[in-house]
Amino acid sequence: DPNRLRDQFPKAYQFDAPEIFKLAGAIDERAWATAARRGDYCASESHPEHLTQIAADGHYVRSKSEVIITNSLLSHGLPIRHEEERVFGGMTIAPDFTVYSEKLHREIIWEHFGLMNRSYYQNIYQRKMAAFAVAGHYPYINLITTFDDADGNIDSRLIEKLVKEFFL
């Protein structure tokens, strides 16, 4: 992280971090986290009426499963971007979560698929996964995918395990 490197130098020799990040093709972790906590990113405005579940920090998400994931991430102090609109493989998608992993030094997209027992949702899943792959996002490298079971249940122990594996 160029910020950590810069902080080791005396003030007179500290470089302009944004320029260094740009040159290095890196993400400024501090700026990313600050923007996430402020909500200073392009969040989806699609179907706000479906944002009915309230997470621990007071923001609204679309499902009980998203609440479990959100609360798990927040309980570890991880800044998240919920439904940040991005272009993946030419398709605009608002993944459920974008989280920066200081452990892995990269953004992780977390997409939860809760309605896989519905055929229209399976089509959405296939299109999203293809778009993610074209954009260089692969499961368990920089993309986490989780699913509800056939009865609509989620295992919060699995969510916690994934948070620890990727972020802690």
Side-chain angles (χ1 to χ4, degrees), residues 86-94 123-124 127-132:
R86 310 267 296 267
V87 177
F88 298 93
M91 182 176 171
T92 300
I93 299 174
N123 292 333
I124 292 170
R127 285 196 322 268
K128 281 186 177 182
M129 293 303 290
F132 287 143

Side-chain angles (χ1 to χ4, degrees), residues 8-70:
Q8 294 175 10
F9 290 104
K11 273 272 195 226
Y13 296 101
Q14 290 184 1
F15 47 81
D16 183 25
E19 199 57 37
I20 296 298
F21 284 105
K22 190 174 173 182
L23 288 171
I27 292 174
D28 182 340
E29 295 173 15
R30 291 180 192 168
W32 194 100
T34 299
R37 287 188 175 101
R38 287 185 186 157
D40 188 18
Y41 58 90
C42 186
S44 173
E45 296 179 4
S46 177
H47 299 288
E49 69 277 9
H50 296 154
L51 297 168
T52 59
Q53 306 300 314
I54 304 173
D57 68 348
H59 85 267
Y60 288 81
V61 296
R62 296 184 189 278
S63 69
K64 292 175 189 170
S65 294
E66 283 190 16
V67 167
I68 290 168
I69 296 167
T70 301

Side-chain angles (χ1 to χ4, degrees), residues 65-78 103 110 112 140 144-146 154-168:
S65 294
E66 283 190 16
V67 167
I68 290 168
I69 296 167
T70 301
N71 289 346
S72 181
L73 292 163
L74 293 173
S75 73
H76 294 288
L78 297 167
K103 177 180 179 180
W110 190 322
H112 181 76
Y140 305 100
I144 299 171
T145 55
T146 50
I154 187 171
D155 185 346
S156 63
R157 296 170 301 178
L158 171 62
I159 301 306
E160 191 65 22
K161 181 179 177 184
L162 289 168
V163 169
K164 288 178 181 174
E165 182 177 331
F166 281 87
F167 305 104
L168 305 177

Side-chain angles (χ1 to χ4, degrees), residues 95-108:
D96 295 327
F97 307 97
T98 306
V99 187
Y100 188 82
S101 172
E102 288 185 23
K103 177 180 179 180
L104 302 174
H105 302 288
R106 62 178 166 244
E107 282 185 324
I108 306 291

